[in-house]
Amino acid sequence: MSLDILFNQFMSGIARGALLFLVASGLSLTFGVLRVLNFAHGSLYMLGGFLCYTIWGHLLLPLFGFYIATILSALIMAASGLVIELFVLRRLYHRGWPEQLLATYALILIITDLVKWRWGGEFLSVPRPKPFTGAVFLFDFPFPAYNLFVIGLGVALAVFLWWLVYRTHLGDIIRAAAHDREMVAALGIPIPWLFTWIFVLGAFIAGLSGAVAAPFGAVALGMDIEIIVECFAVVVIGGMGSLPGTLLGSFIVGQVYSFGIMYKPELALAFIFMVMAVVLIIRPWGIFGRPER
Amino acid sequence: MSGRKVKHVLLVAVLTGLTVAGFSGSSMAQEPIKLGAIYCFAGPCHMYSESAIKGIKIAVEEVNAAGGILGRKLELIVRDTEMKVDVGAREVKDLILREKVHFLEGPCSSGVALALQVVHSEYKVLRITTMANTEAQVVDKFTPYVVQIVPNTYMEAIAATRYLHKRYPKAKKFCTIAPDYEFGRREEAAFAEEIKRLVPDAEIVYEAWPKPGEKDFTSFITAIMAKKPDAVHSSLFGGDLVAFTKQAAPYGFFQKIPFIALYDLPVLLALGEDAPEGVMGFGRGCFFMDPNPKMMAFAEKYRQLHGTYPDSWAVQAYDGVYLLKAAIEKAKSISTEEVIKAMEGLTLDSLRGKFTIRPLDHMGTVPCYQGVIAKDPKYPFKIWKDLSRIPGEEVIRSEESVREIWKKTGVVR
């Protein structure tokens, strides 16, 4: 197998990993701080995609329409995140896992039916925005420019989250709250509001990634469940609530899938979950995760 | 009262009684014929199922406006399987036992279809399958209570393979990419069978099986291109095909490799300008695939009602109602067994031209369509040119082959 083919397959894996990271980072962030596994994260991602399609269609701006639509979709999803946190999640923090799972699963059903009601069952498509419509040549082999955009956005989000969590005062509080929320509350920091804003940020990221995924493929019902399953694999491998873990997990899942497709396509999906099983056996809390206290 | 008079009164009473009985008999005949339409309003099937119901409704209204069937109105009852096997089985049972439907039409998903088949066959109710196209319904798991009028997986793939071979006769090295479930598996098996018959030294160098609903085909695309095939056969459809097409285009995939897939109306509408001209498509019959006067009249009627053009699913569902009408009128009865007998060998002049229900396995000799994606000034979206219509008779599985499979699966007929 020649080197350029391997390089190409590697780049496909990177692009896939970048998209997974965009979605999984929001999931992991909310879990790390709130300790609530938001099953409906994928649904917020799906809504982001549908919103992007509708806003883009109304704007009719060939040059910036998509970018404006993306930002607006992310903002609308952030606002929905605020509502969901205040009315649903806030009531669940002191409850057990089963209630949290049920409530977020209920959100999936509600959002799916909302989408069905507003957009119907059609699959929709947003064309790739300028200047990312064509291909760029990497070592004489074409590579879709939009994939590079997605990779770039993934890197930018990783840097932003790293800066937020490790280099700001808010980040100190986030990390402290993830570690010991009673202690942080005792210091006079309003934990409920911290949780609200983290969830809003998570919802913003979900909406953003859904909008960015829209020109990548098709916007359709079912894209929520499809992505959330792989995101779980990512965060389980990397470690729940860990930013570097999510990054590594996305990379691993993207590459395992990409080379799996090349050599044994029937088992490509199974390989991902085999890796997950191995990680769970050796390090049940994930590569970068911390054991639950 | 004299004896004679008594006789007379009695005669009158008997005659009146007979007349009343006759009357009530004919008022019985005025009770509607119930058609249960059971489709899958969820996931990828949602949109197709909505089209089907629109098609059925137009047909039912036309039939009723023209006096119904045998003087009886046709009544439609719609049910949703949610694309789930267990829900489908429950709903079809309810349609049969509680709603007492006489006939069934649907569903969308091939998996659900096979589950329904077990239930309605047990209750001896006939189902016309217009959308779910797994061949298993009429071949592997044949029961007399199913009639299929959508090109099944075997016919569709055989026809598309012949078209691909006709356009690229020198192609020997092939790749396939298909959704990993019943439908995709069967289509690609038929492709492999047919291409080896047409090109004895043909080789399938790579088979890709993305899961249904895959969003990112990039790795599949680079893997296929690395194999440098002469052509690619695909049974991707719907949103998956839209995603694949958009992701493959920047690689110059469509300029380098001849490609054929299920590029039907909804996919072309979603892709808009991104629909790749010159790429081959196959489909099951909508207005631009078969622009005959009857089809175009239906398309126009549908468009005035719904503001959109009907896709193949609306066409097939519409044809299903008229097939039922023709069979009932031929049988002069709504008894299931008699309608089945009437359907066997029946020829319908449908929107897609004439087709006949083969008595052996109840498969309709419905046509399969192929073409090349192209712009047309008449429409705001891309359609096909270089149209090909392969009649069902040419691609239907031979009766010997059907019987051979039946020997293996234990069907006795």
Side-chain angles (χ1 to χ4, degrees):
Chain A
M1 187 97 8
S2 63
L3 209 59
D4 58 330
I5 288 174
L6 291 180
F7 175 73
N8 230 352
Q9 206 64 17
F10 172 78
M11 286 308 290
S12 301
I14 292 283
R16 189 184 184 85
L19 191 65
L20 278 176
F21 175 76
L22 283 177
V23 188
S25 60
L27 182 74
S28 184
L29 179 76
T30 35
F31 180 81
V33 181
L34 278 61
R35 296 276 136 183
V36 171
L37 189 55
N38 181 17
F39 248 100
H41 192 75
S43 305
L44 302 180
Y45 156 87
M46 174 169 77
L47 258 183
F50 276 100
L51 282 173
C52 176
Y53 172 82
T54 298
I55 299 170
W56 164 82
H58 277 91
L59 283 174
L60 290 172
L61 295 172
L63 213 52
F64 296 110
F66 169 72
Y67 303 102
I68 297 171
T70 298
I71 293 165
L72 284 179
S73 317
L75 287 174
I76 295 173
M77 288 328 296
S80 330
L82 184 68
V83 175
I84 292 172
E85 207 280 339
L86 289 180
F87 289 95
V88 185
L89 285 188
R90 182 157 283 201
R91 285 145 220 279
L92 293 172
Y93 296 134
H94 302 291
R95 303 231 181 178
W97 284 85
E99 279 105 329
Q100 297 180 348
L101 279 184
L102 275 178
T104 50
Y105 188 70
L107 281 176
I108 293 184
L109 299 179
I110 293 168
I111 293 175
T112 301
D113 274 9
L114 277 180
V115 167
K116 229 188 257 180
W117 169 67
R118 172 62 185 81
W119 284 277
E122 278 175 64
F123 40 86
L124 309 166
S125 167
V126 178
R128 298 185 171 205
K130 282 180 184 140
F132 300 107
T133 45
V136 285
F137 283 80
L138 303 171
F139 304 106
D140 291 337
F141 210 92
F143 188 70
Y146 192 76
N147 293 19
L148 274 188
F149 170 72
V150 174
I151 294 170
L153 201 69
V155 172
L157 185 68
V159 170
F160 167 75
L161 287 176
W162 172 81
W163 171 80
L164 181 77
V165 175
Y166 294 100
R167 284 287 176 273
T168 63
H169 180 60
L170 180 65
D172 293 340
I173 298 173
I174 291 173
R175 277 180 295 142
H179 194 72
D180 189 339
R181 65 173 75 150
E182 282 82 14
M183 193 61 204
V184 175
L187 291 172
I189 289 161
I191 288 286
W193 282 108
L194 177 71
F195 281 18
T196 305
W197 290 118
I198 291 297
F199 191 79
V200 167
L201 179 61
F204 179 88
I205 294 174
L208 180 81
S209 45
V212 167
F216 201 72
V219 181
L221 280 175
M223 66 190 273
D224 49 347
I225 304 297
E226 202 264 327
I227 194 120
I228 202 76
V229 173
E230 267 176 72
C231 282
F232 280 147
V234 166
V235 291
V236 167
I237 290 170
M240 281 278 186
S242 156
L243 181 62
T246 308
L247 198 57
L248 183 68
S250 308
F251 175 80
I252 291 175
V253 170
Q255 292 306 331
V256 166
Y257 195 61
S258 192
F259 282 97
I261 283 170
M262 184 152 220
Y263 292 110
K264 203 87 189 115
E266 304 95 309
L267 294 178
L269 208 57
F271 285 144
I272 295 175
F273 293 97
M274 284 179 209
V275 172
M276 189 174 102
V278 170
V279 169
L280 278 176
I281 292 166
I282 301 170
R283 244 180 108 82
W285 48 89
I287 297 174
F288 280 98
R290 277 171 299 131
E292 230 15 66
R293 277 163 298 129
Chain B
M1 220 183 270
S2 74
R4 205 179 145 181
K5 224 172 180 182
V6 169
K7 262 188 196 158
H8 189 82
V9 170
L10 268 177
L11 188 68
V12 170
V14 167
L15 277 177
T16 321
L18 279 178
T19 323
V20 170
F23 239 92
S24 72
S26 76
S27 90
M28 279 289 282
Q30 292 311 307
E31 264 185 30
I33 299 171
K34 286 185 174 179
L35 172 64
I38 180 159
Y39 283 87
C40 317
F41 298 89
C45 271
H46 184 95
M47 180 178 108
Y48 304 144
S49 297
E50 288 208 323
S51 293
I53 295 297
K54 285 175 186 164
I56 291 177
K57 278 188 176 155
I58 293 179
V60 168
E61 270 162 31
E62 284 176 0
V63 166
N64 285 340
I69 306 175
L70 302 180
R72 297 169 66 168
K73 288 254 185 272
L74 193 55
E75 187 189 322
L76 181 66
I77 301 163
V78 181
R79 286 294 171 89
D80 178 10
T81 71
E82 298 171 22
M83 221 176 130
K84 286 179 191 142
V85 173
D86 54 327
V87 178
R90 186 187 74 210
E91 290 295 317
V92 79
K93 215 170 180 170
D94 197 57
L95 275 174
I96 294 168
L97 294 180
R98 213 166 56 80
E99 301 283 0
K100 303 213 173 350
V101 296
H102 300 100
F103 303 97
L104 293 162
E105 193 169 323
C108 165
S109 149
S110 284
V112 174
L114 293 175
L116 298 189
Q117 188 151 335
V118 177
V119 180
H120 69 76
S121 298
E122 199 183 305
Y123 290 103
K124 301 190 187 319
V125 176
L126 176 69
R127 175 172 60 93
I128 300 174
T129 186
T130 66
M131 190 188 301
N133 81 329
T134 176
E135 199 195 6
Q137 292 170 96
V138 290
V139 180
D140 310 44
K141 301 188 176 161
F142 172 86
T143 84
Y145 301 102
V146 174
V147 172
Q148 190 165 37
I149 59 162
V150 51
N152 65 34
T153 42
Y154 181 86
M155 298 162 73
E156 182 168 73
I158 299 285
T161 309
R162 286 189 191 163
Y163 184 73
L164 177 66
H165 176 66
K166 207 172 101 192
R167 293 189 75 92
Y168 297 92
K170 285 185 191 137
K172 284 200 169 80
K173 238 171 89 181
F174 297 91
C175 289
T176 63
I177 177 164
D180 193 8
Y181 76 110
E182 170 83 11
F183 162 77
R185 290 275 169 187
R186 281 190 179 262
E187 291 257 340
E188 296 315 325
F191 164 74
E193 189 185 315
E194 182 67 8
I195 199 68
K196 277 168 192 158
R197 199 153 47 207
L198 295 170
V199 187
D201 55 344
E203 201 189 343
I204 296 174
V205 291
Y206 179 74
E207 294 174 37
W209 298 106
K211 60 183 184 297
E214 176 65 71
K215 65 182 176 307
D216 177 10
F217 289 93
T218 319
S219 306
F220 292 102
I221 293 159
T222 44
I224 289 172
M225 294 183 82
K227 304 282 179 195
K228 300 196 169 29
D230 299 330
V232 175
H233 178 273
S234 171
S235 42
L236 289 177
F237 65 97
D240 294 4
L241 184 56
V242 171
F244 176 89
T245 306
K246 284 168 72 180
Q247 290 158 16
Y251 285 103
F253 185 96
F254 299 113
Q255 285 78 41
K256 287 180 193 138
I257 305 170
F259 181 75
I260 188 162
L262 232 165
Y263 283 107
D264 56 1
L265 179 66
V267 173
L268 293 174
L269 280 175
L271 280 171
E273 272 306 300
D274 287 340
E277 281 167 50
V279 170
M280 293 165 284
F282 60 88
R284 299 169 187 179
C286 71
F287 67 97
F288 65 75
M289 300 175 194
D290 196 342
N292 66 66
K294 208 170 168 175
M295 174 78 92
M296 295 314 280
F298 169 72
E300 195 46 39
K301 189 170 188 179
Y302 186 101
R303 202 172 67 87
Q304 276 171 7
L305 274 171
H306 301 293
T308 52
Y309 284 96
D311 55 29
S312 308
W313 287 276
V315 170
Q316 288 153 192
Y318 176 94
D319 280 348
V321 175
Y322 275 97
L323 176 69
L324 185 63
K325 178 174 185 277
I328 294 174
E329 280 170 353
K330 186 175 156 197
K332 297 192 178 60
S333 154
I334 63 159
S335 128
T336 303
E337 304 301 330
E338 280 172 46
V339 170
I340 290 175
K341 216 193 284 164
M343 238 180 231
E344 290 176 354
L346 181 79
T347 298
L348 183 76
D349 191 7
S350 76
L351 295 182
R352 294 170 279 165
K354 283 195 172 125
F355 65 78
T356 306
I357 304 298
R358 185 162 74 176
L360 178 72
D361 55 359
H362 295 178
M363 183 64 226
T365 57
V366 285
C368 302
Y369 299 90
Q370 301 81 29
V372 170
I373 300 173
K375 267 201 179 109
D376 187 310
K378 280 198 294 259
Y379 301 102
F381 46 86
K382 289 178 192 171
I383 58 165
W384 293 357
K385 61 172 187 180
D386 300 343
L387 297 180
S388 149
R389 178 184 185 276
I390 300 183
E393 287 85 351
E394 291 179 17
V395 286
I396 195 167
R397 189 186 283 278
S398 72
E399 297 206 349
E400 300 82 72
S401 170
V402 171
R403 285 185 202 281
E404 229 156 79
I405 294 171
W406 282 355
K407 260 182 223 154
K408 279 183 223 146
T409 58
V411 173
V412 184
R413 184 162 165 87

